[in-house]
């Protein structure tokens, strides 16, 4: 049995979703893959930090935070470490970086990732900030230190968009990517079709764990723009930044706009896209009215969809969950299984 010690930086929706998967699936993962995963450290600014070299019980971690208690109320070998001390002292094999997303600086996640990779730990993240801004640098550090960086959950949560693009479409030459890349806004637009107000559906999306800690990033289109940057840079060899994405969110749309479109057989969707032309990369995020029989018009709720237009295969479309605790927690598992396969 191969054992992987994990350190989780951040224990919000995604960290808890992933921990729930380990709580419920550890035995079956061990049987199916011959690998076991032990959380040896958790560090969260609000919920507390703790470390135990033999591993922390996932059920106990979840029960503690769900009861509103600090993790530091649990008895362990050490507690109260900050992120830097956790990475330096935990002896983990993999850093699972799930701290707050900052699309302007990528911090503090980028520093956590650099520190872990330089210390010879693999790193897995669902955090778009450091990947949209610093992926080439992080990949270089990982290669120099002979470790892996997993980024599957940065786009379309656990729906394996980046593995599909990087591994399976690698030879097909991706020329254009278009889709619905933000679960929160797609959920909101779908609910608003039922006449529910913008404010109510936003609160509902936050409650369900789809929205970012600051939902401005979702409704103003920054989250989808960050994902477009990642897709362009990771899959199309571009080196664009958020400033290169023409961006408009859904804050200008009202229930009246949505019902007016419905009356004309159309639906509003927040469409994100990136296209390679001979001389440039064109990237955008904008609300778009689609005919109801357009393939993307039927993608409702927090579901995302992406169509890769390739030179050799034509169009390849992937539809699946784009947000949510378990769906994004699954992305971590997907990257961990991939690291296990690559490094065996
Ligand atoms: N807030 C994001 C969304 C989460 O709604 O799609 C997944 O990146």
């Amino acid at each position: 049995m191969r054992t992987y010690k994990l350190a989780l930086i951040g224990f919000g929706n995604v960290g808890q979703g992933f921990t729930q998967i380990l709580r419920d699936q550890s035995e079956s993962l061990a049987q199916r893959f011959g690998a076991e995963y032990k959380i040896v450290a958790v560090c969260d600014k609000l919920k507390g930090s703790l470390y135990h070299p033999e591993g922390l019980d996932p059920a106990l971690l979840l029960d503690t935070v769900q009861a509103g208690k600090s993790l530091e109320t649990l008895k362990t070998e050490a507690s109260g470490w900050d992120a830097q001390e956790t990475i330096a002292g935990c002896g983990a094999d993999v850093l699972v970086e799930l701290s707050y997303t900052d699309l302007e600086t990528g911090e503090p996640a980028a520093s956590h990732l650099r520190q872990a990779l330089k210390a010879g730990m693999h790193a897995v993240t669902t955090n778009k900030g450091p990947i949209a801004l610093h992926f080439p640098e992080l990949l270089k550090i990982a290669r120099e230190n002979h470790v892996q960086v997993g980024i599957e959950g940065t786009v379309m949560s656990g729906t394996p968009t980046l593995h599909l693009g990087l591994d399976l479409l690698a030879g097909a030459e991706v020329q254009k990517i278009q889709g619905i890349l933000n679960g929160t806004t797609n959920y909101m637009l779908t609910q608003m079709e039922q006449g529910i107000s913008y404010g109510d559906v936003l609160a509902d999306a936050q409650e369900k764990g789809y929205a970012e800690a600051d939902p401005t990033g979702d409704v103003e289109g920054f989250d989808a723009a960050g994902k477009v940057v990642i897709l362009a840079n990771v899959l199309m060899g571009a080196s664009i930044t958020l400033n290169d994405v023409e961006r408009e969110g859904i804050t200008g749309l009202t229930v009246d706009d949505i019902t007016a479109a419905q009356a004309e057989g159309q639906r509003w969707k927040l469409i994100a896209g990136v296209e390679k032309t001979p001389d440039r990369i064109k990237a955008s995020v904008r609300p778009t009215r689609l005919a109801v029989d357009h393939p993307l018009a039927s993608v409702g709720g927090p579901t995302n969809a992406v169509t890769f237009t390739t030179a050799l295969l034509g169009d390849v479309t992937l539809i699946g969950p784009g947000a949510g605790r378990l769906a994004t927690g699954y992305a971590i598992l997907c990257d961990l299984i991939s690291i296990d396969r690559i490094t065996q």
Side-chain angles (χ1 to χ4, degrees):
M1 181 76 63
R2 296 173 299 285
T3 300
Y4 292 89
K5 293 184 177 181
L6 313 177
L8 271 56
I9 305 291
F11 201 61
N13 280 322
V14 183
Q16 291 175 45
F18 171 64
T19 302
Q20 189 177 330
I21 294 172
L22 287 191
R23 181 193 69 190
D24 300 340
Q25 309 264 329
S26 279
E27 251 173 59
S28 132
L29 290 171
Q31 273 170 13
R32 283 185 287 159
F33 302 108
E36 63 172 3
Y37 299 97
K38 282 186 181 177
I39 300 174
V40 294
V42 178
C43 171
D44 185 284
K45 271 199 148 98
L46 301 173
K47 301 179 183 76
S49 298
L50 71 179
Y51 160 71
H52 200 293
E54 300 310 319
L56 299 153
D57 178 1
L60 208 52
L61 292 171
L62 291 170
D63 290 349
T64 306
V65 293
Q66 280 157 17
K69 290 196 245 161
S70 164
L71 290 172
E72 293 174 21
T73 55
L74 295 172
K75 282 209 163 44
T76 52
E77 179 144 324
S79 59
W81 287 350
D82 65 16
Q84 219 178 338
E85 289 166 326
T86 302
I87 299 166
C90 67
D93 305 296
V94 187
L95 173 74
V96 182
E97 213 299 329
L98 309 169
S99 67
Y100 182 85
T101 297
D102 183 329
L103 277 168
E104 278 172 29
T105 65
E107 295 297 347
S111 296
H112 301 159
L113 291 166
R114 286 188 197 101
Q115 185 189 347
L117 296 169
K118 285 181 184 165
M121 290 160 86
H122 303 292
V124 171
T125 190
T126 60
N127 193 322
K128 289 161 286 278
I131 304 310
L133 297 166
H134 305 295
F135 185 60
E137 179 211 339
L138 294 167
L139 195 59
K140 184 166 173 277
I141 301 175
R143 288 188 173 141
E144 283 165 4
N145 290 279
H146 311 289
V147 287
Q148 304 291 318
V149 195
I151 60 168
E152 184 55 68
T154 58
V155 180
M156 281 174 69
S157 71
T159 304
T161 317
L162 291 166
H163 274 89
L164 173 63
L166 268 174
D167 301 339
L168 309 176
L169 296 179
E173 198 192 326
V174 177
Q175 298 169 322
K176 179 173 153 188
I177 304 174
Q178 196 184 33
I180 295 172
L181 298 181
N182 181 266
T184 301
T185 48
N186 205 47
Y187 178 75
M188 290 175 66
L189 293 173
T190 309
Q191 294 296 98
M192 284 166 79
E193 284 173 12
Q194 313 303 317
I196 309 173
S197 77
Y198 180 93
D200 286 350
V201 293
L202 177 55
D204 186 18
Q206 286 178 288
E207 154 68 25
K208 291 193 160 68
Y210 303 146
E212 298 297 304
D214 176 359
T216 317
D218 296 294
V219 296
E220 296 284 7
F222 288 106
D223 175 79
K227 290 167 180 166
V228 161
V229 169
I230 294 172
L231 290 172
N233 293 354
V234 174
L235 302 183
M236 296 168 94
S239 51
I240 61 170
T241 69
L242 271 185
N243 292 333
D244 299 312
V245 183
E246 285 175 34
R247 178 194 48 79
E248 186 187 333
I250 64 158
T251 47
L253 287 180
T254 61
V255 169
D256 285 349
D257 294 326
I258 285 160
T259 45
Q262 273 180 305
E264 291 174 30
Q266 295 182 328
R267 280 204 176 110
W268 281 102
K269 292 288 177 191
L270 187 64
I271 298 297
V274 55
E275 186 170 4
K276 208 177 196 171
T277 64
D279 52 347
R280 65 183 285 241
I281 293 266
K282 265 173 37 190
S284 62
V285 173
R286 68 171 66 94
T288 308
R289 266 172 90 143
L290 301 177
V292 284
D293 59 358
H294 185 287
L296 292 179
S298 60
V299 176
T303 303
N304 282 187
V306 68
T307 298
F308 296 98
T309 301
T310 70
L312 288 180
L313 272 180
D315 283 358
V316 177
T317 297
L318 180 68
I319 300 177
R325 294 178 182 94
L326 280 181
T328 315
Y330 172 72
I332 306 288
L333 179 61
C334 176
D335 281 335
L336 289 173
I337 292 172
S338 169
I339 289 173
D340 182 50
R341 288 189 167 152
I342 291 168
T343 56
Q344 259 184 71

